[in-house]
Amino acid sequence: MTPFDDPKVAAAYDALPKETRAGALVLRELIFDTAASLPHAQPLQEALRWGQPAYLAPKGSTIRIGTHKSASFALFVHCQSRLMGDFTSAFPGEDRLDGNRAILFDNPDQIDPTRHGWLIARALTYHL
């Protein structure tokens, strides 16, 4: 597991319910793994935004991980970007979504490194 640089971010994960935390940590690792695999390496900053762990790259769009009223946890992207539209065009009907802002998950087994890694890579390089 990638170590936490910010104790506030670590505390945000620790505060999540056990089942939610497990899935959120899988998404966190996928974000770091995806960032490391990009040809245009982007330094990744992990911080809190709206009280949720957020991931920012200099030429990217913010990604957040958090709880959701309709799911155990979610991967959030900027709702005014074209990220979710591109994702649903590439992978129609494969995920439960909250409009153009989030992919909803009930357990870590629903995370697909290829499909969700694709969205993460797009977000981290959105402004390139």
Side-chain angles (χ1 to χ4, degrees), residues 4-127:
F4 290 97
D5 287 335
D6 185 338
K8 291 178 184 175
V9 175
Y13 278 99
D14 288 343
L16 295 171
K18 184 179 178 183
E19 298 79 21
T20 299
R21 183 180 329 117
L25 288 170
V26 171
L27 281 177
R28 179 181 183 267
E29 282 306 304
L30 181 57
I31 291 169
F32 278 101
D33 291 348
T34 301
S37 74
L38 293 172
H40 304 290
Q42 295 283 312
L44 191 60
Q45 177 190 2
E46 182 176 47
L48 291 181
R49 296 291 186 269
W50 301 281
Q52 297 175 322
Y55 302 86
L56 308 93
K59 297 288 184 179
S61 180
T62 302
I63 303 167
R64 287 183 296 117
I65 299 172
T67 58
H68 191 279
K69 65 182 184 244
S70 300
S72 178
F73 60 101
L75 177 70
F76 295 90
V77 296
H78 193 289
C79 64
Q80 294 177 339
S81 71
R82 65 179 187 275
L83 288 164
M84 200 58 74
D86 290 350
F87 179 76
T88 56
S89 293
F91 305 100
E94 296 201 35
D95 289 284
R96 195 161 52 106
L97 306 174
D98 178 3
N100 59 351
R101 64 183 225 121
I103 300 174
L104 308 179
F105 301 95
D106 291 315
N107 65 66
D109 295 341
Q110 294 173 319
I111 299 169
D112 180 316
T114 301
R115 190 168 73 247
H116 300 124
W118 184 91
L119 177 62
I120 291 165
R122 289 285 180 112
L124 294 176
T125 59
Y126 188 70
H127 296 289

